[in-house]
Amino acid sequence: DIQMTQSPSSLSASVGDRVTITCQASQDISNYLNWYQQKPGKAPKLLIYDASNLETGVPSRFSGSGSGTDFTFTISSLQPEDIATYYCQQYNNLPRTFGQGTKVEIK
Amino acid sequence: EVQLVESGGGLVQPGRSLRLSCTASGFTFGDYAMSWVRQAPGKGLEWVGFIRSKTYGGTTEYAASVKGRFTISRDDSKSIAYLQMNSLKTEDTAVYYCTSSSRRVPRGAFDIWGQGTMVTVSS
C-alpha cells in the first residue's frame, strides 16, 4: 500500500497568514493526488484534484502543487472559515489512501 | 441537486452484522462507481472499498482491513449502494460515508459525499 505522510499534524496561524501543508507519498504517484477539507461533524469536501486543479467553486486562496512523491497544499491568506482538518489522498493505486490529516487553527 | 444519503447505522454487538444503504439522487447512478470511506472517532479518513459501474463490470475492491468481512453491492434500479458488514469488530466503530466522483473530476477524486452514518460496535 502507498503510505501518505502529511506534515505538520497541526498548526496554528493568524488570519491573513500563508499556510503550507506537505504530503509525501511512499512511492511515485505522478499527480494522482487530491486535497480535502473537513470541518467538525461534516463530510470531507474536495478542494484540489490532480495535485493542482482547483475544484469548481473553491476560493483561489487555496492551491496545490507537486508531482511524484512530494506535494504541497497552500492557503495564501488564512481566513476564519478555513479552520478545519485537511487531508491528502492518492489514487494512483488501490487501496486509495489518505494522509493522517492536518488540523488548522487560528492563533 | 446531486445528493447521497446514508442510512442503516446504529449500535451492534461484536461479531454481528449490519447493512448500510446509500441512496443517490440528482445523477444517473448507474454510470458511477460508488465508494465507502470511514472515520473512527477522532481519527482520520480510511477508504473502505468501492464498486465499479456495470459498464466496468460492477466489480469491487476492498481495503485489507475489511476484505472478506464487508461486501459492497448496488441496485441501479433503485439508485442505492449497499455496504454489508459481517463479523463486526470494535475497531469498525466509525462514521461511514458513501462517496462518488462526478464527471467533472477524475474517478479517483471524491466530490460527492453523503452526510455519514455512525456505526458503533460494542457489547
Side-chain angles (χ1 to χ4, degrees):
Chain A
D1 297 2
I2 297 176
Q3 308 303 316
M4 306 300 294
T5 304
Q6 272 182 251
S7 63
S9 55
S10 65
L11 64 89
S12 182
S14 299
V15 172
D17 281 355
R18 184 180 186 87
V19 169
T20 299
I21 299 168
T22 64
C23 180
Q24 186 170 58
S26 60
Q27 64 188 73
D28 189 337
I29 60 169
S30 185
N31 68 331
Y32 299 128
L33 189 284
N34 306 313
W35 290 96
Y36 299 85
Q37 175 192 67
Q38 187 180 33
K39 296 183 178 181
K42 300 294 186 181
K45 175 186 176 183
L46 177 67
L47 298 182
I48 289 172
Y49 61 90
D50 286 352
S52 61
N53 291 294
L54 199 64
E55 165 71 321
T56 301
V58 174
S60 59
R61 64 180 180 274
F62 296 100
S63 65
S65 65
S67 67
T69 61
D70 295 302
F71 301 86
T72 301
F73 172 82
T74 300
I75 307 173
S76 61
S77 177
L78 186 67
Q79 300 301 303
E81 61 266 32
D82 300 337
I83 300 316
T85 300
Y86 294 84
Y87 295 92
C88 61
Q89 174 241 328
Q90 67 80 23
Y91 68 101
N92 185 70
N93 282 7
L94 290 170
R96 310 302 191 209
T97 46
F98 291 87
Q100 79 277 19
T102 296
K103 188 173 184 178
V104 175
E105 298 175 319
I106 294 285
K107 192 181 293 183
Chain B
E1 179 194 6
V2 171
Q3 196 172 15
L4 296 174
V5 178
E6 301 95 337
S7 59
L11 174 64
V12 61
Q13 292 179 326
R16 304 297 290 263
S17 299
L18 198 64
R19 188 179 79 163
L20 306 182
S21 299
C22 171
T23 303
S25 59
F27 63 101
T28 308
F29 178 80
D31 290 348
Y32 294 86
M34 297 300 299
S35 298
W36 289 90
V37 171
R38 67 183 181 182
Q39 186 169 37
K43 303 297 184 182
L45 301 169
E46 180 187 14
W47 179 82
V48 172
F50 81 108
I51 184 166
R52 297 177 177 87
S53 68
K54 293 287 196 299
T55 300
Y56 291 92
T59 53
T60 53
E61 305 286 349
Y62 299 97
S65 58
V66 306
K67 196 169 186 178
R69 298 188 300 122
F70 289 12
T71 302
I72 299 172
S73 61
R74 63 191 301 154
D75 185 337
D76 291 349
S77 68
K78 296 181 179 178
S79 297
I80 300 177
Y82 299 101
L83 178 63
Q84 177 68 43
M85 303 184 293
N86 298 334
S87 303
L88 281 161
K89 306 175 181 180
T90 55
E91 52 263 41
D92 295 319
T93 293
V95 174
Y96 285 75
Y97 296 100
C98 67
T99 182
S100 188
S101 310
S102 74
R103 287 211 169 91
R104 297 184 301 104
V105 299
R107 265 189 237 117
F110 306 127
D111 64 332
I112 308 171
W113 292 78
Q115 84 286 355
T117 187
M118 182 71 203
V119 173
T120 302
V121 184
S122 174
S123 54

